[in-house]
């Protein structure tokens, strides 16, 4: 097992991977960091947890649309997928906003 020191949205992580998979892990970290930083910088999503959830949903939707021609998003354009994600963001914002008042 190899350990890599990485940074996602300014937070340091020590991640384990198998030998030979370092490049793939670094690419995944870079991709996720880009997604999360873009969401943070847009100002539309506040809080690291919410940013992580939104980024995860975005990545999952991208994966599902590419993974299988018969997948749940196969009949949708990228624009339609983005619109669905924006609608999910709105629903999650409404659902999670009461949580912000708990702290």
């Amino acid at each position: 097992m190899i350990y890599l020191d990485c940074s996602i949205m300014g937070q340091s992580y020590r991640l384990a991977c198998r030998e030979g998979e370092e490049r793939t892990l670094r690419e995944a970290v870079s991709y996720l960091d880009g997604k999360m930083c873009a969401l943070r910088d847009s100002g539309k999503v506040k809080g690291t947890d919410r940013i992580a959830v939104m980024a995860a949903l975005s990545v999952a939707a991208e994966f599902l649309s590419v993974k299988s021609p018969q997948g749940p998003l196969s009949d949708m354009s990228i624009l339609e997928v983005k619109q669905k994600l924006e609608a999910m963001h709105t629903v999650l914002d409404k659902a999670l906003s009461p949580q912000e008042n708990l702290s």
Side-chain angles (χ1 to χ4, degrees):
M1 201 56 67
I2 295 173
Y3 295 93
L4 298 176
D5 292 318
C6 301
S7 176
I8 300 173
M9 218 173 70
Q11 178 69 38
S12 296
Y13 295 92
R14 176 163 240 165
L15 305 173
C17 69
R18 293 187 195 121
E19 198 167 326
E21 295 179 350
E22 303 94 336
R23 180 176 176 207
T24 302
L25 181 58
R26 286 194 189 279
E27 288 175 359
V29 166
S30 176
Y31 188 72
L32 180 60
D33 181 55
K35 288 276 186 192
M36 290 181 67
C37 288
L39 283 165
R40 178 198 62 207
D41 296 346
S42 76
K44 294 179 181 177
V45 182
K46 304 239 185 290
T48 304
D49 292 347
R50 294 177 77 168
I51 291 170
V53 168
M54 296 299 150
L57 285 171
S58 177
V59 171
E62 290 172 10
F63 173 75
L64 290 173
S65 68
V66 173
K67 180 181 176 239
S68 171
Q70 290 78 34
L73 304 176
S74 62
D75 61 337
M76 297 174 72
S77 70
I78 294 297
L79 177 60
E80 290 170 318
V81 171
K82 287 182 179 182
Q83 290 170 338
K84 272 213 174 290
L85 283 171
E86 288 173 11
M88 285 189 273
H89 290 183
T90 301
V91 169
L92 284 169
D93 283 342
K94 288 179 184 176
L96 295 174
S97 64
Q99 306 255 338
E100 290 177 357
N101 298 326
L102 295 176
S103 37

